[in-house]
Amino acid sequence: MEDLLKLGDKSYRSRLIVGTGKYKDFAETRKAIEVSGAEIVTVAVRRVNITDPNKENLLDYLDPKRYTILPNTAGCYTADDAVRTCRLAREAGVGKMIKLEVIGDDKTLFPDIPATLEAAKILVKEGFVVLPYINDDPITAKKLQEIGCAAVMPLAAPIGSGLGIRNPYNIRIILEQATVPVIVDAGVGTASDAAIAMEMGCDGVLMNTAIAGARDPILMAEAMRLGVDAGRKAFLAGRIVKKLYATASSPIDGILG
């Protein structure tokens, strides 16, 4: 069977979700997305024009037949602002699948969990396919999947930090209790970080700065595609058990008598 990522009523071959911020221009954004192989592209509704047809529009550079546009609520600090932003995106015709992000602190950009839960309840009731950005807290992840979110998106590390997964143990607990896809969101720095997340069993990885902030964003986009693919294949294949001592790769038991 084909290995697909299912979110809501849609399925995707690529498990890499990419953002659209911090590139030098829309042309570079488009090229990086193409090379990444991503099928879902997240767009900050408050920071990038997707609603005013009289101004340069990012959506002019992205084929809606090729990509699922995932509007996000980056820059929102209250549940009301996040819900309002999601409604605006839906009215603009972008779709009903949204990345919910309610920020609680300017310095760390960690999520405001009570506000995230509040907004998620409203948005799920209104028919949105909600993908919430959260900290690596198993309790929060469980509450959000019980609310009806289509996935949970724990951070690996602070947004834009490039530190990789700082707390793999919490991510493992989230994975163990998950009934919806688990997508690592924020903190990935390079392809090995993405591969590690996928090898753990995460269903996908979302990133922006790791690609857009690289010295060569196009080459990094390719590296991330390969890292995600390799990590997923390694997870499905099943790694060998770790051992303290060596085990001969060519045993001689039974050969000499």
Side-chain angles (χ1 to χ4, degrees), residues 134-206:
I134 59 172
N135 50 24
D136 53 358
D137 173 24
I139 304 304
T140 299
K142 189 173 183 180
K143 287 181 178 180
L144 285 163
Q145 70 182 19
E146 290 172 350
I147 286 171
C149 292
V152 291
M153 305 178 73
L155 54 79
I159 292 173
S161 68
L163 291 172
I165 295 178
R166 295 293 86 199
N167 193 342
Y169 306 104
N170 275 19
I171 299 293
R172 288 188 185 279
I173 295 172
I174 291 171
L175 287 166
E176 285 180 5
Q177 67 184 22
T179 58
V180 296
V182 176
I183 300 170
V184 164
D185 178 15
V188 168
T190 191
S192 59
D193 297 331
I196 288 169
M198 299 306 296
E199 287 174 1
M200 289 177 64
C202 295
D203 297 278
V205 180
L206 189 154

Side-chain angles (χ1 to χ4, degrees), residues 64-233:
K65 295 180 181 179
R66 181 174 179 181
Y67 302 108
T68 294
I69 304 302
L70 179 64
N72 72 56
T73 61
C76 292
Y77 288 81
T78 67
D80 287 344
D81 281 350
V83 170
R84 190 179 305 111
T85 300
C86 291
R87 290 169 177 164
L88 175 63
R90 183 166 60 180
E91 290 172 7
V94 179
K96 65 179 182 178
M97 187 163 74
I98 54 95
K99 176 189 171 185
L100 175 61
E101 183 175 322
V102 186
I103 298 300
D105 176 72
D106 275 327
K107 185 175 182 180
T108 65
L109 299 182
F110 285 153
D112 181 328
I113 295 304
T116 300
L117 290 166
E118 179 185 349
K121 290 177 182 178
I122 296 169
L123 292 167
V124 168
K125 286 181 180 179
E126 293 186 7
F128 285 93
V129 178
V130 182
L131 313 181
Y133 158 69
I134 59 172
N135 50 24
D136 53 358
D137 173 24
I139 304 304
T140 299
K142 189 173 183 180
K143 287 181 178 180
L144 285 163
Q145 70 182 19
E146 290 172 350
I147 286 171
C149 292
V152 291
M153 305 178 73
L155 54 79
I159 292 173
S161 68
L163 291 172
I165 295 178
R166 295 293 86 199
N167 193 342
Y169 306 104
N170 275 19
I171 299 293
R172 288 188 185 279
I173 295 172
I174 291 171
L175 287 166
E176 285 180 5
Q177 67 184 22
T179 58
V180 296
V182 176
I183 300 170
V184 164
D185 178 15
V188 168
T190 191
S192 59
D193 297 331
I196 288 169
M198 299 306 296
E199 287 174 1
M200 289 177 64
C202 295
D203 297 278
V205 180
L206 189 154
M207 64 184 71
N208 184 187
T209 305
I211 296 176
R215 185 172 63 250
D216 185 337
I218 309 306
L219 187 59
M220 185 60 81
E222 181 182 9
M224 291 300 190
R225 174 176 59 81
L226 295 171
V228 169
D229 287 348
R232 179 64 179 177
K233 286 180 170 64

